[in-house]
Structure formats: structure tokens, C-alpha cells
Amino acid sequence: MNKQAKIYIAGHQGMVGSAIVRQLQAAGFSNLVVRTRAELNLVDQAAVDAFMQQERPAFVFLAAARVGGILANNSYPADFIYQNLMIQTNLVHSALQAGVERLLFLGSSCIYPKFAPQPMTEDALLTGLLEPTNEPYAIAKIAGIKLCEAYHRQHGVRYFSAMPTNLYGPNDNFDLQSSHVLPALLRKFHEAKINGIGKVEVWGSGRPRREFLHVDDAAAACLHLMQLSDAELDAAFFQPEGTSLVNVGCGEDVAIGELTELIGAVVGFAGEIVYDADKPDGTPRKLLDVSKLRSLGWEPSIGLREGVEATYRWYLEQFG
Ligand code: GFB
């Protein structure tokens, strides 16, 4: 990717998309194209076609999606499958028609079977039943992977997929009903501390394990992948016996109970922690095998404690 290449970041206001924009700007890429949701409704195929024909970017980071935590996924299954299928299908097809050279599609680690052997390698895809609480979302993301694969097979375009683990960081969603666990706990502990509340409720048993990667690391990995040479990309993603996706994670996980202790310590909350067994635990574990990503020359650099501390500082700057 040369520094003047036209790059479209779909979902630039979201946590991942905004981090990708920061990484691109820091690396000196000056020809970035973005559109807010009000300017371009990605669910509207005609609008997406017109936009892509007008802009004709050379590279696309597909970071736009309907996302949410376990409760949001479990509460709005139709929204999650419909909106994600429409967004990715519109963008991939219009990218082909607009001559986009490379497209990186962002999925999620929930595409893997609920009881896949841990850590999960890319070829675990479609080897078992999915976690029910987010199956609609996972099915949509799996369809996105297959969409990119099929467009490469039929048209030769270099459209490929990255599967990030649970991400956190600036611009995350902190709504207590629709967010993921890490931002939710940061906010719960913060509000308990400043309001002098002696107890914080944590969902589920605290026993599930999750892998967390700071979104700046995830964005750096996406930029690294997009800058691979054609030969490296073809070897990694477009071999008949290979896989068209790559896991993006740190290769370590923690129990939700351990995460709870860590966040309580970072915020400085010393009260009682209560586990709400009526809330779902979801997948017991979803640790990614990151050897493919490592073999492509990328390593994370932000540890969990450091990342949580930086995210809490950002939260305080934003919300006081
Ligand atoms: O982050 P989370 O909502 O999503 O939940 P998943 C992770 C674990 O944290 C679950 C527990 O076992 C939750 O029960 N948890 C504890 C909490 N307290 C809370 C809380 O206050 N809020 C939330 N949200 N969880 C998502 C998928 O699964 O992972 C998405 O639903 C996506 O589709 C995302 O794939 C990366 O990690 O279980």
C-alpha cells in the first residue's frame, strides 16, 4: 500500500474502525475515505454501490458491523444476523464492481464451535455447533468469510478475513446492557467507587475464560496484514489446502473472575463483588491459536493490565 493509496475504512467511528484510522494516519497514509452512518447507510445496497463507484478505493478495511455483548446478541438475534449480512454483502460485492484490490473483512472469535479444542486454530471453523447466545452473529460472520473466499476463487480478488478475539479500548461501547464485559465492569466499578456503592454485580459464574486484546494492537495487526506482499498474502490466505482467515489475539486468557479482580484494582474499588447466576456465561472458553499471525510477522505489544489502565484513563477523560 503506497502512502497515497485511497483507503476506505468502513465503520470508522466504531472502536475498531477508529483505531485503524489512527494507525493509518500515524503511518502516514493520507488518502483515507470515511462516511458516517448518516452519510451512508451500509444496509442500503444501492447507496453502497453508488458510493463505491464514486470513490473507487484501492483498499478497504471492513470494520463496520452490528456488534454487542452476550446480552445484546441474545436479545436482538434478527438485527445481528440481518444487519451484518447486509453490510458485508453490500460492501464485498460493490468492492468487486469498483475494482478494489484488497479487502480485509473483520469477524470475531465467536465464529468457532462452542466446544472447539483450545486454543482454537483457523481450521476449527465449521467443525461443530456454535454458542447459542451469539449464533446469528457468528453465522453472519462465517458467511462473510465464505463471501471473501468465493470472490477470490471466482474473480481472483484478494479479499481475506481477520478474526479478532475480545477487543477493548478507546471508543468502546460502555452501555451496561449492550456492551462487552470489560467496558461494562470498568464502568460498574467506576460508578460504584464515585457513588460510594459497596457492591458490584458481575454476570454469570465468573468461571468462563476470555482472551482480551487492546484495540490498538488489533488495528496494528490489520495494518500489518494489509501491507503484506502479494506473494505473502497468496501463501497465507489463498492456498487450496489453507484457510482464508487469520486469528488476531494475544494467545493468553483469563477467567472473568480474574478480570473482575484486575479491573477492581485498577479502578480502586474495594467493595463486594456479587455474581448473578441468572445471567448467561456463554462460551466456556474461546482462546485463539495465534501461530499463523505470528508466522506472518506480528506480535501484540499491550498487556492486559497496561491496556485496562490506559482504557480507564481514556474513560475518565471522556466521562469524568
Ligand atoms: O463480553 P461478553 O458480553 O461476550 O461476556 P462474550 C463475556 C463473559 O463475561 C460472559 C461475563 O460470561 C458474561 O456473562 N460478564 C460478567 C459480563 N459481567 C458482565 C457484564 O457486566 N457485561 C457483559 N457483557 N458480560 C461475545 C459475543 O461473547 O464476544 C459477540 O456475544 C462477540 O458476538 C464478542 O463475538 C467478541 O465474549 O461471551
Side-chain angles (χ1 to χ4, degrees):
M1 260 188 336
N2 71 59
K3 301 295 189 210
Q4 288 68 44
K6 182 179 276 194
I7 304 167
Y8 169 46
I9 302 94
H12 77 289
Q13 292 184 303
M15 178 173 69
V16 177
S18 57
I20 290 173
V21 168
R22 289 197 299 273
Q23 291 288 327
L24 287 165
Q25 288 171 335
F29 291 95
S30 53
N31 192 1
L32 306 185
V33 175
V34 295
R35 288 291 184 280
T36 64
R37 204 169 299 194
E39 292 165 335
L40 176 61
N41 175 4
L42 294 174
V43 170
D44 177 346
Q45 182 177 27
V48 174
D49 285 349
F51 161 72
M52 289 292 270
Q53 283 301 320
Q54 175 200 331
E55 289 296 340
R56 302 185 74 79
F59 301 89
V60 174
F61 289 90
L62 209 175
R66 171 68 192 269
V67 297
I70 190 164
L71 207 55
N73 269 270
N74 216 17
S75 307
Y76 304 103
D79 293 349
F80 274 82
I81 192 165
Y82 169 70
Q83 291 176 23
N84 287 304
L85 283 175
M86 294 304 288
I87 289 168
Q88 62 201 34
T89 304
N90 290 342
L91 281 170
V92 168
H93 189 69
S94 63
L96 174 77
Q97 293 180 313
V100 170
E101 296 168 34
R102 287 189 181 187
L103 180 147
L104 176 55
F105 170 67
L106 287 170
S108 166
S109 59
C110 71
I111 60 162
Y112 294 115
K114 175 164 188 162
F115 298 111
Q118 306 285 321
M120 305 179 293
T121 53
E122 288 85 355
D123 56 14
L125 183 62
L126 293 174
T127 58
L129 294 176
L130 298 166
E131 158 60 37
T133 56
N134 56 44
E135 186 188 71
Y137 176 73
I139 293 281
K141 288 297 182 181
I142 292 168
I145 293 167
K146 293 301 173 184
L147 198 64
C148 292
E149 259 179 43
Y151 275 62
H152 170 75
R153 276 181 54 203
Q154 184 171 334
H155 301 290
V157 287
R158 291 187 172 94
Y159 298 179
F160 60 114
S161 303
M163 295 301 121
T165 189
N166 289 46
L167 303 179
Y168 69 95
N171 292 331
D172 202 346
N173 167 15
F174 288 86
D175 173 77
L176 294 184
Q177 292 308 308
S178 62
S179 63
H180 292 99
V181 58
L182 197 148
L185 293 185
L186 259 182
R187 178 174 173 185
K188 285 181 180 180
F189 279 125
H190 174 73
E191 292 183 347
K193 176 185 164 186
I194 61 171
N195 297 319
I197 297 167
K199 178 165 75 169
V200 163
E201 182 198 275
V202 179
W203 296 353
S205 67
R207 284 193 299 273
R209 300 185 67 85
R210 291 293 183 272
E211 176 186 9
F212 295 99
L213 184 71
H214 192 283
V215 71
D216 287 348
D217 264 339
C222 289
L223 186 50
H224 179 82
L225 292 167
M226 193 65 105
Q227 289 185 289
L228 292 174
S229 68
D230 285 350
E232 289 170 317
L233 217 60
D234 293 347
F237 296 99
F238 304 121
Q239 296 307 307
E241 71 288 349
T243 60
S244 65
L245 61 158
V246 62
N247 291 336
V248 177
C250 63
E252 295 168 16
D253 62 359
V254 293
I256 295 303
E258 293 170 277
L259 177 73
T260 299
E261 299 297 330
L262 186 156
I263 295 176
V266 166
V267 171
F269 172 82
E272 185 190 358
I273 294 168
V274 176
Y275 286 91
D276 175 359
D278 292 339
K279 291 285 191 320
D281 269 342
T283 304
R285 193 179 191 203
K286 45 180 183 172
L287 176 63
L288 295 178
D289 178 303
V290 290
S291 46
K292 179 171 180 178
L293 181 60
R294 297 249 160 98
S295 73
L296 291 171
W298 187 83
E299 296 264 349
S301 61
I302 304 169
L304 183 57
R305 173 97 194 202
E306 173 196 354
V308 168
E309 287 170 347
T311 305
Y312 187 44
R313 285 195 298 274
W314 178 89
Y315 182 84
L316 293 174
E317 286 158 18
Q318 296 298 312
F319 305 105

